[in-house]
Amino acid sequence: MINITKYSRRLALIMAGTISLSLCGCEMADGRTAQGEARTTYIYGDSIQEDAGASLMAKLGVPDSCKLTFDTGKSGLSEISLDTDDIDVPGTDRAYVIDFDRIGLTQEKIQSMVEGVFDKSDGIYCRDDGDENMTKDEIQQGIDLIEAYRDQALKDGKTDVADMYESDIAAEKTRMASAPDTYRSVTEYTSGKIYVGQSDGDKFNLWISGGDDEDGASAVSIEYSADVSRDQDYLANVPDAVITETVGEVDSGVDAGDQQNMCSLDENSARIMAQEFLDKLGISGMAFRSSQALIRTWLDGNMTYIKTEKNGYVFEFGRQIAGISVVYEDPTGVDNLKNDKGYVMHDGDLASVYVDDKGVFSVRARLTTDPDSFVREDTGMLSWTDMLERANDNISEYYSKYPTAYSKVQFDSARLLYVPCKKDDGGLAYVPAWMLTEKDDKDILDNSAAYHNIVQMVYINAIDGSLIDIVETAKALGTWYSYGDDDGGIKTLTR
């Protein structure tokens, strides 16, 4: 049985009548019920009706906090525990099992993507991906930048550094001699290409990679970006600037909190514009996750900031099904999910959209699943109490199979999500699951920077309390990066 270290919880659970339920070690905030939850039409197409019943939080008897320990069995661990005030349950009242296929790209899908964002009447052009396929103009743009670095080095009296840059310039000029003059007109639509076209009179690039083989690929990567001439216009207005960059405020390292956002669009209008652009790209079934202000910086030849401006927004969208998000967490730092054979990479679908006064100018998306393949089935779920009881019988075996170098595991968060699961027949499905994680906070570089790294992670199937095998699922999904030849994973990382 689960070793309970705390007993205090009151929950009014309204299902078929009023039922009082106590769960040792887990606590619901006083006076709160699950009634009155807002009803929402979700992006997958489900509409929760007013008479649909209580939310999942109430139906499953989920508390606000929980403190308990699991049986360690033969895992060799001194402790496996859950101690958290961070239990996240979506505000919906149902969940499904959703069969799905790995994403693939047909020529028709790629053509639809490209022609969805470019004005076909203005012409669409392309080249194969890879530096070896760069045009003369693209190589010249690189030379211009290296020359700016060289000039800065000479200005600073660093002749040895300037000589190094001079050597790089010579190498690029040699490469330019055999480079193609221009992009070519599109004759067929395939992945592994950079497409160039016009959108509202401005030039943009669209890079699409992966997903074009019969069995699907590890992922489809998409990058939509403004032509370099856009940055050149920004650089022309700031003397001594050689590079301009745009990044979300949280990731910029720039303290711009007091700056006013110069974008003429309000955040809600910009968010709608971002969602509509994803639709044009054919990226469906994505729901808003987060937003942050957009920071543009200008740097000189020494990579020193000389101007900073807050102007625009960055929106993040993730896969969501009937109000429940599909997992998108970084598992590469999870201690027991990596070994000498390989490690688990990101799974799930995510898109970041950058918007300023002129509209969407950058999109970065990574997709692993095909929403057109979804087949769903209604499913029941274990109560919170029963789920923990079942997990207690399984979690030590999981850590015996995938041992950790940690002496104890102390989960500090629990979230109900859809997670991928390899089925008995070898297929894939999204199932509702409780993701328990432990984060390790370490200061890096200086005392003001904290790195929050997930070091422990398990998926507990919310239907039967079993532990989902993340490694085997990653191999089936194509998100296992293998060091060898026998592990069923991919051997090289995509761009």
Side-chain angles (χ1 to χ4, degrees):
M1 296 292 292
I2 299 177
N3 177 24
I4 303 302
T5 59
K6 181 178 180 181
Y7 180 93
S8 176
R9 179 177 177 270
R10 292 182 299 276
L11 172 66
L13 181 60
I14 304 176
M15 293 174 65
T18 303
I19 303 173
S20 297
L21 174 67
S22 295
L23 174 62
C24 299
C26 302
E27 185 172 0
M28 175 71 80
D30 289 346
R32 200 194 70 193
T33 70
Q35 301 306 297
E37 295 282 348
R39 302 306 184 188
T40 307
T41 299
Y42 292 109
I43 199 165
Y44 188 66
D46 295 307
S47 179
I48 295 180
Q49 304 301 321
E50 290 298 334
D51 60 352
S55 69
L56 282 175
M57 191 161 193
K59 283 184 175 182
L60 305 180
V62 181
D64 286 317
S65 62
C66 195
K67 185 174 183 179
L68 55 84
T69 60
F70 296 96
D71 181 14
T72 58
K74 298 179 180 179
S75 66
L77 292 164
S78 63
E79 178 183 320
I80 306 175
S81 63
L82 171 63
D83 185 354
T84 183
D85 296 322
D86 180 20
I87 304 177
D88 182 32
V89 185
T92 183
D93 67 347
R94 69 190 74 183
Y96 307 97
V97 172
I98 303 101
D99 290 347
F100 70 89
D101 296 330
R102 291 167 56 187
I103 194 167
L105 285 178
T106 63
Q107 290 195 28
E108 290 75 17
K109 284 184 180 180
I110 296 172
Q111 181 173 356
S112 178
M113 285 175 151
V114 174
E115 295 182 355
V117 297
F118 291 146
D119 297 326
K120 187 177 179 180
S121 60
D122 291 326
I124 300 174
Y125 305 89
C126 70
R127 74 164 173 83
D128 291 336
D129 189 21
D131 291 347
E132 69 277 9
N133 299 308
M134 291 174 67
T135 64
K136 285 181 169 61
D137 284 345
E138 290 173 326
I139 295 173
Q140 184 60 54
Q141 291 162 10
I143 291 174
D144 293 343
L145 183 59
I146 300 172
E147 287 177 341
Y149 293 152
R150 178 202 59 194
D151 294 344
Q152 182 68 53
L154 290 172
K155 182 179 178 181
D156 296 339
K158 300 176 181 178
T159 56
D160 55 337
V161 176
D163 289 343
M164 178 188 67
Y165 286 134
E166 196 66 55
S167 176
D168 292 339
I169 292 169
E172 289 300 290
K173 287 183 176 179
T174 299
R175 188 162 73 98
M176 185 189 294
S178 59
D181 292 324
T182 61
Y183 280 57
R184 61 185 182 273
S185 295
V186 173
T187 57
E188 63 176 359
Y189 290 87
T190 60
S191 66
K193 282 188 171 64
I194 299 173
Y195 296 89
V196 175
Q198 300 281 329
S199 179
D200 295 329
D202 292 325
K203 188 176 179 181
F204 289 87
N205 306 314
L206 178 62
W207 173 74
I208 302 173
S209 178
D212 60 347
D213 58 82
E214 291 183 359
D215 297 324
S218 60
V220 166
S221 294
I222 299 169
E223 289 186 15
Y224 175 83
S225 59
D227 183 69
V228 68
S229 59
R230 181 188 179 104
D231 282 349
Q232 290 172 341
D233 290 341
Y234 281 111
L235 289 171
N237 297 322
V238 180
D240 298 325
V242 299
I243 290 181
T244 179
E245 297 177 339
T246 52
V247 67
E249 183 175 9
V250 174
D251 304 317
S252 68
V254 174
D255 184 6
D258 295 333
Q259 289 189 28
Q260 180 181 353
N261 198 319
M262 305 299 292
C263 185
S264 60
L265 297 170
D266 64 82
E267 184 172 341
N268 187 59
S269 298
R271 175 177 160 183
I272 293 172
M273 186 179 293
Q275 183 79 66
E276 290 175 343
F277 193 87
L278 289 181
D279 292 339
K280 289 181 181 179
L281 264 176
I283 301 177
S284 61
M286 305 290 273
F288 171 75
R289 284 170 54 105
S290 64
S291 66
Q292 55 181 306
L294 181 70
I295 303 296
R296 178 175 289 278
T297 56
W298 287 258
L299 299 89
D300 62 17
N302 287 321
M303 295 293 97
T304 301
Y305 292 137
I306 56 178
K307 183 180 178 180
T308 300
E309 180 179 88
K310 184 186 292 188
N311 193 339
Y313 310 91
V314 183
F315 300 99
E316 187 176 275
F317 297 87
R319 180 77 61 204
Q320 188 185 82
I321 304 169
I324 301 178
S325 295
V326 173
V327 65
Y328 193 93
E329 297 291 349
D330 184 1
T332 54
V334 176
D335 181 70
N336 68 325
L337 296 183
K338 53 189 176 182
N339 52 46
D340 57 0
K341 293 183 179 180
Y343 62 89
V344 178
M345 299 187 298
H346 266 126
D347 54 13
D349 302 339
L350 197 72
S352 298
V353 185
Y354 295 66
V355 183
D356 64 8
D357 290 306
K358 295 182 179 181
V360 175
F361 69 92
S362 179
V363 177
R364 299 169 188 169
R366 184 172 175 84
L367 311 172
T368 61
T369 56
D370 180 6
D372 293 336
S373 70
F374 285 3
V375 178
R376 71 182 185 184
E377 177 184 350
D378 285 314
T379 184
M381 297 170 62
L382 292 174
S383 71
W384 174 262
T385 309
D386 290 341
M387 179 273 296
L388 291 176
E389 291 285 357
R390 300 279 184 88
N392 184 60
D393 297 332
N394 301 314
I395 197 165
S396 63
E397 293 182 11
Y398 186 81
Y399 271 100
S400 295
K401 181 177 181 180
Y402 297 109
T404 176
Y406 285 57
S407 60
K408 57 185 176 181
V409 174
Q410 299 174 308
F411 297 114
D412 51 31
S413 176
R415 297 179 62 196
L416 182 63
L417 301 161
Y418 281 117
V419 307
C421 178
K422 182 181 178 181
K423 301 191 300 180
D424 292 339
D425 63 5
L428 291 161
Y430 281 127
V431 299
W434 292 96
M435 181 182 72
L436 307 188
T437 58
E438 176 185 352
K439 289 186 177 180
D440 187 9
D441 300 344
K442 297 178 180 178
D443 289 342
I444 57 172
L445 301 181
D446 57 58
N447 292 330
S448 64
Y451 178 53
H452 304 287
N453 185 36
I454 295 177
V455 294
Q456 301 293 339
M457 176 191 295
V458 296
Y459 297 160
I460 302 174
N461 192 320
I463 301 170
D464 59 15
S466 62
L467 271 288
I468 293 171
D469 195 315
I470 299 175
V471 170
E472 290 303 315
T473 298
K475 291 177 182 178
L477 189 59
T479 54
W480 169 259
Y481 181 77
S482 172
Y483 298 135
D485 297 325
D486 304 319
D487 299 307
I490 64 172
K491 304 300 186 293
T492 56
L493 293 170
T494 56
R495 171 175 168 177

